[in-house]
Amino acid sequence: MANSVMQLLDIVDVDEKDRIVAEKLLIEISFMAEVLDELKELIKTRGVGEMNKDGNFCESSFVKLYNSTAKVYAGMLKQLEFIGRKNQQLSAGEKLLKAWVGK
């Protein structure tokens, strides 16, 4: 994992402070992608709803968890893109995201 993160960071030329932040973001993004995949499978097998203790049908806890995780995941991707743009490379964040998606 650490080597692939460093390879992705080599795509853009960022200062050391931003590189440390970007590395931590990529590690968390990677973990969250795995969590989202697992939650997606649970939702597919168990469905989007469940019965609560009162006997009413409600949104599955897996769906709620997926939605909240996806929001954080998207926010981290935006932070990563901002780091690339902040370092005067207008397409750096996009290159980093493309490399991440393509891995």
Side-chain angles (χ1 to χ4, degrees):
M1 165 52 98
N3 287 338
S4 62
V5 169
M6 295 310 289
Q7 289 170 347
L8 288 171
L9 291 175
D10 288 339
I11 292 170
V12 293
D13 185 25
V14 297
D15 64 40
E16 191 58 33
K17 179 183 169 193
D18 285 341
R19 187 178 180 89
I20 292 168
V21 172
E23 182 178 346
K24 291 178 188 274
L25 277 171
L26 281 169
I27 290 168
E28 291 304 315
I29 288 169
S30 175
F31 174 75
M32 291 179 96
E34 292 174 21
V35 169
L36 288 169
D37 286 343
E38 288 180 27
L39 287 169
K40 205 180 303 183
E41 287 303 313
L42 286 167
I43 293 167
K44 285 179 184 178
T45 58
R46 296 187 183 186
V48 295
E50 60 191 13
M51 299 298 275
N52 65 14
K53 62 183 175 185
D54 297 327
N56 298 321
F57 189 77
C58 62
E59 185 177 56
S60 161
S61 56
F62 297 122
V63 171
K64 290 177 186 177
L65 203 64
Y66 181 89
N67 289 338
S68 63
T69 303
K71 286 178 186 175
V72 174
Y73 179 81
M76 287 184 168
L77 289 174
K78 286 181 183 179
Q79 286 179 302
L80 196 57
E81 184 177 10
F82 175 76
I83 288 171
R85 291 185 185 278
K86 180 180 152 194
N87 284 273
Q88 280 88 35
Q89 295 183 21
L90 295 180
S91 65
E94 293 161 353
K95 286 181 187 176
L96 193 54
L97 289 174
K98 284 180 185 176
W100 180 252
V101 171
K103 94 177 197 91

XYZ file of all heavy atoms in Angstrom:
811
model
N 0.832 -1.207 0.000
C 0.000 0.000 0.000
C 0.861 1.250 0.000
O 0.646 2.144 -0.786
C -0.932 -0.048 1.206
C -1.583 1.288 1.518
S -2.401 2.058 0.149
C -4.022 1.577 0.444
N 1.823 1.323 0.885
C 2.631 2.536 1.009
C 3.360 2.856 -0.286
O 3.461 4.022 -0.669
C 3.627 2.390 2.155
N 3.863 1.826 -0.987
C 4.565 2.072 -2.248
C 3.630 2.631 -3.302
O 4.002 3.533 -4.044
C 5.221 0.792 -2.756
C 6.443 0.418 -1.945
O 7.032 1.265 -1.294
N 6.805 -0.836 -1.969
N 2.410 2.104 -3.392
C 1.483 2.611 -4.397
C 1.076 4.050 -4.083
O 0.884 4.850 -4.995
C 0.256 1.711 -4.507
O -0.445 1.681 -3.294
N 0.959 4.391 -2.801
C 0.648 5.765 -2.411
C 1.781 6.681 -2.842
O 1.546 7.739 -3.430
C 0.405 5.872 -0.885
C 0.357 7.322 -0.445
C -0.871 5.153 -0.504
N 2.995 6.291 -2.594
C 4.130 7.122 -2.972
C 4.220 7.268 -4.489
O 4.554 8.333 -4.997
C 5.435 6.533 -2.414
C 5.500 6.538 -0.889
S 5.098 8.131 -0.131
C 6.540 9.061 -0.574
N 3.907 6.215 -5.244
C 3.921 6.304 -6.702
C 2.890 7.313 -7.185
O 3.155 8.080 -8.105
C 3.661 4.935 -7.314
C 4.820 3.979 -7.146
C 4.457 2.555 -7.537
O 3.294 2.216 -7.703
N 5.472 1.720 -7.686
N 1.729 7.313 -6.565
C 0.703 8.286 -6.946
C 1.146 9.702 -6.627
O 0.900 10.625 -7.392
C -0.613 7.975 -6.234
C -1.350 6.738 -6.723
C -2.506 6.418 -5.795
C -1.842 6.933 -8.142
N 1.794 9.873 -5.495
C 2.240 11.216 -5.114
C 3.362 11.718 -6.008
O 3.553 12.922 -6.152
C 2.666 11.236 -3.648
C 1.534 11.070 -2.652
C 2.078 10.991 -1.234
C 0.531 12.197 -2.771
N 4.108 10.809 -6.620
C 5.172 11.215 -7.531
C 4.622 11.823 -8.821
O 5.346 12.469 -9.561
C 6.081 10.027 -7.865
C 6.950 9.646 -6.680
O 7.151 10.500 -5.780
O 7.423 8.499 -6.635
N 3.329 11.617 -9.094
C 2.722 12.158 -10.307
C 2.696 13.682 -10.263
O 2.852 14.345 -11.274
C 1.294 11.605 -10.478
C 1.372 10.107 -10.767
C 0.531 12.336 -11.570
C 0.050 9.411 -10.725
N 2.498 14.232 -9.076
C 2.457 15.688 -8.943
C 3.604 16.151 -8.066
O 4.069 15.432 -7.199
C 1.114 16.173 -8.348
C -0.024 15.906 -9.299
C 0.839 15.550 -7.016
N 4.046 17.356 -8.330
C 5.146 17.935 -7.564
C 4.556 18.842 -6.493
O 4.183 19.972 -6.775
C 6.062 18.724 -8.502
C 7.275 19.254 -7.791
O 7.674 18.663 -6.762
O 7.828 20.268 -8.241
N 4.442 18.329 -5.276
C 3.876 19.113 -4.178
C 4.940 19.328 -3.113
O 5.888 18.559 -3.006
C 2.633 18.423 -3.557
C 1.514 18.309 -4.562
C 2.970 17.062 -3.007
N 4.762 20.389 -2.339
C 5.741 20.630 -1.283
C 5.602 19.555 -0.202
O 4.629 18.805 -0.155
C 5.607 22.047 -0.721
C 4.284 22.314 -0.034
O 3.773 21.433 0.673
O 3.761 23.427 -0.178
N 6.587 19.473 0.657
C 6.673 18.379 1.629
C 5.471 18.332 2.575
O 4.948 17.259 2.876
C 7.978 18.479 2.429
C 8.276 17.259 3.270
C 8.366 15.959 2.463
O 8.803 15.985 1.301
O 7.983 14.905 3.011
N 5.015 19.497 3.032
C 3.862 19.538 3.944
C 2.621 18.965 3.267
O 1.904 18.146 3.832
C 3.608 20.972 4.402
C 2.429 21.123 5.326
C 2.200 22.584 5.670
C 0.871 22.757 6.370
N 0.467 24.137 6.453
N 2.372 19.408 2.035
C 1.217 18.907 1.294
C 1.374 17.428 0.954
O 0.397 16.692 0.905
C 0.996 19.716 0.016
C 0.395 21.089 0.292
O -0.173 21.279 1.383
O 0.504 21.965 -0.576
N 2.582 17.006 0.712
C 2.833 15.593 0.383
C 2.453 14.698 1.562
O 1.852 13.647 1.368
C 4.297 15.409 0.008
C 4.633 14.039 -0.516
C 6.112 13.985 -0.919
N 6.448 12.697 -1.428
C 6.344 12.339 -2.704
N 5.906 13.201 -3.586
N 6.665 11.135 -3.094
N 2.779 15.126 2.762
C 2.434 14.354 3.964
C 0.918 14.261 4.110
O 0.369 13.191 4.358
C 3.085 14.978 5.214
C 4.602 14.799 5.153
C 2.516 14.362 6.487
C 5.370 15.624 6.167
N 0.236 15.376 3.915
C -1.224 15.404 4.014
C -1.832 14.525 2.916
O -2.742 13.730 3.174
C -1.759 16.851 3.924
C -3.272 16.867 3.825
C -1.288 17.661 5.131
N -1.329 14.666 1.689
C -1.852 13.887 0.566
C -1.653 12.392 0.785
O -2.539 11.587 0.480
C -1.187 14.330 -0.740
N -0.515 12.026 1.341
C -0.254 10.605 1.617
C -1.272 10.060 2.617
O -1.845 8.989 2.415
C 1.160 10.425 2.156
C 1.508 8.981 2.417
C 2.934 8.796 2.908
O 3.751 9.731 2.816
O 3.221 7.696 3.401
N -1.519 10.810 3.680
C -2.502 10.375 4.679
C -3.902 10.302 4.074
O -4.660 9.376 4.354
C -2.472 11.297 5.892
C -1.196 11.156 6.710
C -1.168 12.113 7.876
C 0.160 12.115 8.553
N 0.329 11.107 9.551
N -4.244 11.280 3.236
C -5.542 11.261 2.566
C -5.685 10.029 1.678
O -6.722 9.366 1.694
C -5.725 12.524 1.717
C -6.203 13.777 2.430
C -6.118 14.977 1.493
C -7.620 13.611 2.940
N -4.657 9.719 0.908
C -4.723 8.562 0.016
C -4.874 7.257 0.794
O -5.609 6.357 0.365
C -3.489 8.503 -0.884
C -3.520 9.442 -2.070
C -2.170 9.509 -2.747
C -4.588 9.015 -3.056
N -4.216 7.154 1.918
C -4.352 5.953 2.744
C -5.786 5.817 3.246
O -6.389 4.741 3.186
C -3.333 5.974 3.903
C -1.918 5.781 3.340
C -3.667 4.908 4.948
C -0.807 6.069 4.318
N -6.364 6.922 3.720
C -7.745 6.896 4.207
C -8.739 6.657 3.067
O -9.705 5.912 3.227
C -8.088 8.196 4.945
C -7.363 8.349 6.256
C -7.586 7.190 7.211
O -8.745 6.752 7.375
O -6.604 6.701 7.786
N -8.488 7.273 1.916
C -9.355 7.083 0.750
C -9.341 5.613 0.331
O -10.387 5.041 0.010
C -8.925 8.017 -0.403
C -9.299 9.459 -0.071
C -9.538 7.580 -1.726
C -8.687 10.491 -1.001
N -8.184 5.015 0.349
C -8.062 3.601 -0.008
C -8.872 2.726 0.949
O -9.613 1.835 0.518
C -6.590 3.193 0.023
O -6.469 1.818 -0.212
N -8.749 2.989 2.229
C -9.500 2.230 3.225
C -11.004 2.427 3.031
O -11.787 1.467 3.050
C -9.085 2.652 4.638
C -9.916 2.004 5.714
C -9.718 0.676 6.048
C -10.903 2.718 6.366
C -10.494 0.065 7.021
C -11.686 2.115 7.348
C -11.472 0.788 7.675
N -11.399 3.674 2.829
C -12.823 3.964 2.672
C -13.384 3.319 1.411
O -14.548 2.881 1.397
C -13.061 5.467 2.664
C -12.807 6.092 4.018
S -13.074 7.850 3.975
C -14.748 7.877 4.568
N -12.594 3.225 0.360
C -13.044 2.557 -0.860
C -13.342 1.089 -0.578
O -14.339 0.543 -1.063
C -11.991 2.703 -1.956
N -12.497 0.450 0.223
C -12.734 -0.948 0.597
C -14.000 -1.076 1.445
O -14.795 -1.999 1.246
C -11.531 -1.499 1.359
C -10.287 -1.647 0.508
C -9.067 -2.065 1.315
O -9.236 -2.617 2.421
O -7.950 -1.836 0.831
N -14.191 -0.167 2.387
C -15.385 -0.182 3.237
C -16.635 0.009 2.379
O -17.635 -0.707 2.548
C -15.301 0.902 4.336
C -16.635 1.084 5.040
C -14.205 0.561 5.336
N -16.583 0.954 1.447
C -17.732 1.203 0.569
C -18.058 -0.034 -0.268
O -19.233 -0.370 -0.463
C -17.486 2.416 -0.322
C -17.536 3.768 0.386
C -17.011 4.876 -0.526
C -18.942 4.083 0.862
N -17.038 -0.718 -0.752
C -17.262 -1.946 -1.520
C -17.941 -3.017 -0.668
O -18.865 -3.696 -1.127
C -15.946 -2.492 -2.082
C -15.416 -1.672 -3.246
O -16.188 -0.894 -3.841
O -14.222 -1.821 -3.560
N -17.485 -3.173 0.567
C -18.091 -4.159 1.469
C -19.537 -3.799 1.791
O -20.421 -4.667 1.799
C -17.280 -4.275 2.759
C -15.950 -4.970 2.572
C -15.160 -5.077 3.871
O -15.767 -5.102 4.955
O -13.923 -5.135 3.779
N -19.777 -2.519 2.064
C -21.140 -2.073 2.356
C -22.053 -2.274 1.145
O -23.218 -2.674 1.291
C -21.144 -0.607 2.791
C -20.596 -0.333 4.187
C -20.394 1.164 4.397
C -21.520 -0.911 5.252
N -21.522 -2.017 -0.034
C -22.302 -2.201 -1.258
C -22.745 -3.665 -1.393
O -23.897 -3.940 -1.736
C -21.443 -1.791 -2.463
C -22.223 -1.368 -3.666
C -21.322 -0.960 -4.831
C -20.373 0.134 -4.471
N -19.542 0.581 -5.589
N -21.842 -4.578 -1.102
C -22.178 -6.000 -1.175
C -23.228 -6.371 -0.131
O -24.150 -7.140 -0.413
C -20.931 -6.869 -1.003
C -20.011 -6.850 -2.203
C -20.700 -7.275 -3.493
O -21.414 -8.300 -3.500
O -20.536 -6.561 -4.503
N -23.103 -5.833 1.072
C -24.098 -6.102 2.114
C -25.471 -5.571 1.716
O -26.496 -6.227 1.946
C -23.656 -5.479 3.445
C -22.522 -6.205 4.166
C -21.969 -5.338 5.287
C -23.019 -7.533 4.707
N -25.494 -4.398 1.109
C -26.757 -3.812 0.668
C -27.372 -4.669 -0.439
O -28.580 -4.911 -0.454
C -26.551 -2.351 0.215
C -26.183 -1.476 1.420
C -27.793 -1.806 -0.486
C -25.650 -0.104 1.061
N -26.536 -5.151 -1.355
C -27.033 -5.994 -2.440
C -27.644 -7.291 -1.905
O -28.664 -7.750 -2.414
C -25.908 -6.333 -3.420
C -25.524 -5.193 -4.327
C -24.384 -5.615 -5.232
C -23.904 -4.483 -6.102
N -22.754 -4.873 -6.945
N -27.022 -7.873 -0.896
C -27.513 -9.157 -0.390
C -28.640 -9.013 0.625
O -29.536 -9.850 0.684
C -26.377 -9.986 0.248
O -25.780 -9.243 1.313
C -25.329 -10.351 -0.776
N -28.610 -7.963 1.424
C -29.611 -7.808 2.485
C -30.712 -6.814 2.172
O -31.695 -6.727 2.903
C -28.920 -7.407 3.785
C -27.979 -8.486 4.271
C -27.442 -8.152 5.609
N -26.490 -9.171 6.041
C -25.948 -9.201 7.223
N -26.257 -8.283 8.120
N -25.098 -10.147 7.546
N -30.523 -6.012 1.122
C -31.544 -5.046 0.734
C -31.317 -3.673 1.336
O -30.445 -3.477 2.186
N -32.140 -2.730 0.899
C -31.973 -1.339 1.322
C -32.780 -0.994 2.564
O -32.613 0.077 3.137
C -32.338 -0.348 0.191
C -31.385 -0.490 -0.972
C -33.777 -0.531 -0.245
N -33.661 -1.894 2.968
C -34.493 -1.605 4.135
C -34.492 -2.741 5.136
O -34.043 -3.853 4.849
N -35.007 -2.433 6.321
C -35.108 -3.425 7.387
C -36.250 -3.035 8.316
O -36.726 -1.902 8.291
C -33.786 -3.534 8.163
C -33.346 -2.245 8.831
C -31.918 -2.283 9.364
O -31.164 -3.207 9.029
O -31.567 -1.355 10.100
N -36.660 -3.964 9.106
C -37.716 -3.697 10.078
C -37.072 -3.176 11.360
O -36.101 -3.745 11.849
C -38.494 -4.971 10.386
C -39.185 -5.568 9.173
S -40.406 -4.492 8.454
C -41.800 -4.885 9.449
N -37.632 -2.090 11.905
C -37.108 -1.584 13.169
C -37.807 -2.293 14.329
O -38.662 -3.165 14.120
C -37.222 -0.056 13.255
C -38.651 0.436 13.277
O -39.593 -0.322 13.491
N -38.819 1.728 13.049
N -37.468 -1.923 15.551
C -38.019 -2.616 16.721
C -39.527 -2.426 16.875
O -40.190 -3.223 17.527
C -37.287 -2.177 17.992
C -37.417 -0.711 18.316
C -36.611 -0.340 19.535
C -36.689 1.163 19.740
N -35.837 1.591 20.813
N -40.079 -1.385 16.235
C -41.527 -1.147 16.283
C -42.267 -1.871 15.163
O -43.485 -1.763 15.050
C -41.829 0.352 16.190
C -41.252 1.136 17.362
O -41.200 0.567 18.473
O -40.852 2.290 17.150
N -41.527 -2.586 14.326
C -42.143 -3.309 13.230
C -42.344 -2.482 11.976
O -43.010 -2.919 11.046
N -41.783 -1.303 11.941
C -41.894 -0.438 10.765
C -40.695 -0.646 9.843
O -39.571 -0.855 10.297
C -41.964 1.030 11.169
C -43.176 1.334 12.016
O -44.255 0.814 11.768
N -42.997 2.163 13.023
N -40.958 -0.558 8.542
C -39.895 -0.688 7.552
C -39.120 0.625 7.486
O -39.712 1.695 7.398
C -40.504 -1.017 6.185
C -39.495 -1.373 5.149
C -38.894 -2.615 5.144
C -39.135 -0.465 4.170
C -37.965 -2.964 4.176
C -38.212 -0.788 3.195
C -37.625 -2.043 3.209
N -37.807 0.535 7.573
C -36.976 1.751 7.516
C -35.701 1.468 6.725
O -35.405 0.334 6.378
C -36.646 2.231 8.926
S -35.685 1.065 9.886
N -34.988 2.534 6.473
C -33.730 2.434 5.737
C -32.746 1.557 6.494
O -32.592 1.660 7.702
C -33.157 3.850 5.557
C -31.925 3.928 4.704
C -31.456 5.358 4.521
O -31.214 6.042 5.539
O -31.348 5.789 3.374
N -32.059 0.700 5.779
C -31.068 -0.202 6.361
C -29.927 0.585 7.009
O -29.523 1.634 6.518
C -30.504 -1.102 5.259
O -29.286 -1.671 5.628
N -29.400 0.054 8.078
C -28.248 0.688 8.724
C -27.039 0.662 7.783
O -26.188 1.551 7.832
C -27.920 0.003 10.045
O -27.708 -1.381 9.863
N -26.984 -0.350 6.903
C -25.894 -0.410 5.928
C -25.999 0.729 4.913
O -24.999 1.297 4.503
C -25.884 -1.756 5.196
C -25.640 -2.926 6.100
C -26.550 -3.953 6.176
C -24.502 -2.988 6.892
C -26.334 -5.034 7.014
C -24.269 -4.064 7.731
C -25.190 -5.084 7.790
N -27.218 1.078 4.522
C -27.434 2.188 3.590
C -27.035 3.499 4.258
O -26.357 4.338 3.657
C -28.895 2.242 3.097
C -29.164 3.513 2.314
C -29.230 1.015 2.267
N -27.437 3.666 5.507
C -27.071 4.894 6.239
C -25.555 5.018 6.352
O -24.988 6.091 6.133
C -27.705 4.879 7.628
C -29.193 5.049 7.616
C -29.763 4.954 9.019
C -31.283 4.987 8.991
N -31.869 4.828 10.320
N -24.905 3.923 6.690
C -23.450 3.918 6.823
C -22.786 4.189 5.477
O -21.814 4.955 5.396
C -22.993 2.567 7.391
C -21.662 2.522 8.079
C -21.683 3.389 9.331
C -21.314 1.101 8.442
N -23.312 3.574 4.432
C -22.769 3.789 3.089
C -22.869 5.271 2.703
O -21.899 5.860 2.230
C -23.508 2.926 2.061
C -22.961 3.089 0.661
C -21.927 2.284 0.210
C -23.453 4.072 -0.191
C -21.403 2.436 -1.057
C -22.930 4.243 -1.462
C -21.915 3.422 -1.897
O -21.385 3.597 -3.146
N -24.042 5.843 2.908
C -24.253 7.249 2.529
C -23.331 8.188 3.294
O -22.748 9.112 2.715
C -25.711 7.644 2.737
C -26.633 6.992 1.730
O -26.211 6.582 0.661
N -27.897 6.879 2.085
N -23.176 7.986 4.587
C -22.306 8.874 5.363
C -20.841 8.676 4.987
O -20.081 9.647 4.882
C -22.523 8.688 6.866
O -22.177 7.397 7.265
N -20.439 7.431 4.738
C -19.054 7.161 4.335
C -18.774 7.752 2.961
O -17.699 8.326 2.732
C -18.784 5.643 4.336
O -19.067 5.117 5.636
C -17.337 5.341 3.990
N -19.731 7.637 2.049
C -19.557 8.177 0.698
C -19.371 9.691 0.724
O -18.585 10.241 -0.053
C -20.753 7.794 -0.179
N -20.068 10.376 1.616
C -19.916 11.835 1.732
C -18.510 12.204 2.200
O -17.885 13.126 1.672
C -20.951 12.410 2.692
C -22.340 12.448 2.127
C -23.334 12.986 3.134
C -24.744 12.873 2.607
N -25.746 13.277 3.577
N -18.012 11.490 3.183
C -16.660 11.753 3.688
C -15.634 11.427 2.602
O -14.673 12.173 2.383
C -16.384 10.950 4.978
C -14.946 11.109 5.421
C -17.335 11.385 6.087
N -15.845 10.318 1.914
C -14.973 9.885 0.822
C -14.885 10.975 -0.254
O -13.798 11.353 -0.686
C -15.531 8.580 0.254
C -14.786 7.973 -0.897
C -13.642 7.202 -0.678
C -15.232 8.123 -2.209
C -12.977 6.605 -1.738
C -14.566 7.537 -3.268
C -13.439 6.779 -3.022
O -12.772 6.194 -4.069
N -16.028 11.490 -0.665
C -16.065 12.548 -1.676
C -15.342 13.805 -1.187
O -14.616 14.454 -1.946
C -17.506 12.872 -2.047
N -15.517 14.134 0.082
C -14.835 15.293 0.655
C -13.324 15.134 0.646
O -12.586 16.084 0.354
N -12.869 13.926 0.939
C -11.420 13.671 0.919
C -10.865 13.762 -0.497
O -9.754 14.263 -0.702
C -11.110 12.307 1.525
C -11.275 12.268 3.010
S -10.772 10.649 3.627
C -10.713 10.995 5.368
N -11.633 13.294 -1.481
C -11.198 13.417 -2.872
C -11.074 14.886 -3.271
O -10.132 15.272 -3.966
C -12.170 12.696 -3.806
C -12.156 11.177 -3.741
C -13.259 10.598 -4.614
C -10.810 10.610 -4.133
N -12.003 15.706 -2.798
C -11.933 17.146 -3.081
C -10.702 17.765 -2.426
O -10.045 18.627 -3.011
C -13.198 17.848 -2.605
C -14.388 17.591 -3.489
C -15.615 18.323 -2.997
C -16.811 17.985 -3.860
N -18.024 18.646 -3.407
N -10.398 17.349 -1.204
C -9.200 17.858 -0.523
C -7.949 17.496 -1.309
O -7.032 18.306 -1.446
C -9.091 17.283 0.884
C -10.053 17.868 1.878
C -9.885 17.210 3.231
O -10.019 15.998 3.371
N -9.568 18.010 4.226
N -7.920 16.276 -1.818
C -6.775 15.813 -2.584
C -6.612 16.623 -3.869
O -5.505 17.031 -4.221
C -6.961 14.330 -2.904
C -5.768 13.548 -3.371
C -4.632 13.617 -2.355
C -6.162 12.100 -3.609
N -7.714 16.896 -4.525
C -7.662 17.717 -5.732
C -7.200 19.134 -5.399
O -6.408 19.728 -6.132
C -9.027 17.757 -6.411
C -8.999 18.517 -7.707
C -10.322 18.506 -8.429
O -11.338 18.061 -7.859
O -10.337 18.969 -9.580
N -7.657 19.677 -4.275
C -7.255 21.020 -3.858
C -5.741 21.089 -3.644
O -5.099 22.074 -4.026
C -7.986 21.424 -2.582
C -7.535 22.744 -2.044
C -7.949 23.927 -2.636
C -6.676 22.808 -0.947
C -7.516 25.152 -2.146
C -6.238 24.019 -0.458
C -6.655 25.203 -1.062
N -5.162 20.065 -3.062
C -3.709 20.049 -2.833
C -2.980 20.181 -4.168
O -2.024 20.946 -4.290
C -3.276 18.777 -2.083
C -3.732 18.859 -0.626
C -1.767 18.575 -2.159
C -3.546 17.582 0.161
N -3.433 19.437 -5.163
C -2.803 19.522 -6.485
C -2.942 20.906 -7.091
O -1.986 21.472 -7.608
N -4.122 21.478 -6.983
C -4.353 22.811 -7.555
C -3.587 23.884 -6.789
O -3.100 24.845 -7.377
C -5.843 23.122 -7.569
C -6.598 22.268 -8.555
C -8.052 22.679 -8.636
N -8.794 21.782 -9.487
C -8.827 21.862 -10.806
N -8.140 22.795 -11.426
N -9.532 21.008 -11.515
N -3.487 23.716 -5.496
C -2.790 24.690 -4.656
C -1.324 24.803 -5.058
O -0.713 25.853 -4.915
C -2.903 24.244 -3.191
C -2.224 25.140 -2.197
C -2.410 24.574 -0.811
C -1.254 24.995 0.044
N -1.170 24.246 1.265
N -0.773 23.753 -5.564
C 0.633 23.736 -5.947
C 0.845 24.190 -7.394
O 1.751 23.735 -8.070
C 1.220 22.342 -5.708
C 1.474 22.098 -4.242
O 2.526 22.441 -3.729
N 0.508 21.544 -3.539
N -0.005 25.105 -7.873
C 0.097 25.758 -9.185
C 0.099 24.792 -10.365
O 0.659 25.098 -11.414
C 1.345 26.646 -9.278
C 1.181 27.987 -8.630
C 1.542 27.958 -7.162
O 2.433 27.241 -6.782
N 0.844 28.707 -6.366
N -0.480 23.642 -10.204
C -0.613 22.715 -11.319
C -2.099 22.480 -11.509
O -2.682 21.652 -10.845
C 0.114 21.412 -11.038
C 1.608 21.582 -10.912
C 2.278 20.250 -10.697
O 1.733 19.216 -11.012
N 3.475 20.285 -10.159
N -2.693 23.219 -12.406
C -4.143 23.197 -12.545
C -4.708 21.805 -12.782
O -5.793 21.497 -12.349
C -4.571 24.136 -13.673
C -4.301 25.610 -13.430
C -4.763 26.443 -14.617
C -4.991 26.078 -12.157
N -3.964 20.914 -13.434
C -4.489 19.582 -13.681
C -3.886 18.538 -12.746
O -4.141 17.359 -12.904
C -4.233 19.183 -15.137
O -2.847 19.080 -15.366
N -3.091 18.945 -11.779
C -2.417 17.984 -10.902
C -3.407 17.142 -10.119
O -3.254 15.923 -10.030
C -1.478 18.712 -9.942
N -4.423 17.771 -9.559
C -5.425 17.017 -8.804
C -6.158 16.030 -9.693
O -6.417 14.900 -9.297
N -6.463 16.448 -10.903
C -7.147 15.565 -11.840
C -6.258 14.386 -12.227
O -6.731 13.255 -12.307
C -7.572 16.349 -13.070
C -8.641 17.381 -12.754
C -8.767 18.470 -13.803
O -7.937 18.513 -14.737
O -9.668 19.281 -13.668
N -4.965 14.633 -12.451
C -4.040 13.549 -12.791
C -3.963 12.547 -11.631
O -3.955 11.350 -11.837
C -2.639 14.098 -13.062
C -2.490 14.806 -14.362
C -1.047 15.280 -14.507
C -0.848 16.146 -15.711
N 0.525 16.669 -15.775
N -3.901 13.070 -10.425
C -3.813 12.211 -9.249
C -5.072 11.361 -9.107
O -4.995 10.168 -8.866
C -3.599 13.079 -8.013
C -3.174 12.412 -6.714
C -1.944 11.567 -6.906
C -2.910 13.462 -5.663
N -6.230 11.966 -9.299
C -7.478 11.231 -9.202
C -7.593 10.182 -10.311
O -8.013 9.060 -10.070
C -8.678 12.168 -9.233
C -8.870 13.025 -7.991
C -10.010 14.010 -8.211
C -9.120 12.186 -6.765
N -7.178 10.539 -11.522
C -7.211 9.575 -12.632
C -6.278 8.407 -12.336
O -6.614 7.258 -12.619
C -6.834 10.250 -13.937
C -7.938 11.097 -14.522
C -7.495 11.728 -15.820
C -8.574 12.669 -16.330
N -8.160 13.381 -17.533
N -5.106 8.693 -11.813
C -4.164 7.624 -11.486
C -4.738 6.730 -10.400
O -4.586 5.512 -10.426
C -2.830 8.225 -11.030
N -5.414 7.345 -9.442
C -6.012 6.577 -8.340
C -7.115 5.662 -8.862
O -7.173 4.488 -8.527
C -6.544 7.517 -7.287
C -7.167 6.789 -6.154
C -8.487 6.689 -5.849
C -6.490 6.023 -5.164
N -8.662 5.905 -4.757
C -7.456 5.487 -4.301
C -5.153 5.728 -4.928
C -7.134 4.680 -3.239
C -4.833 4.925 -3.857
C -5.817 4.416 -3.029
N -7.983 6.197 -9.695
C -9.091 5.414 -10.241
C -8.559 4.302 -11.129
O -9.091 3.194 -11.119
C -10.064 6.329 -11.015
C -11.091 5.524 -11.774
C -10.756 7.282 -10.056
N -7.490 4.561 -11.857
C -6.953 3.582 -12.790
C -6.110 2.493 -12.154
O -5.754 1.532 -12.795
N -5.819 2.605 -10.873
C -4.900 1.621 -10.242
C -5.538 0.289 -10.012
O -6.664 0.062 -10.066
C -4.317 2.185 -8.963
C -5.044 1.833 -7.702
C -4.287 2.412 -6.543
C -4.708 1.791 -5.282
N -4.375 0.827 -4.564
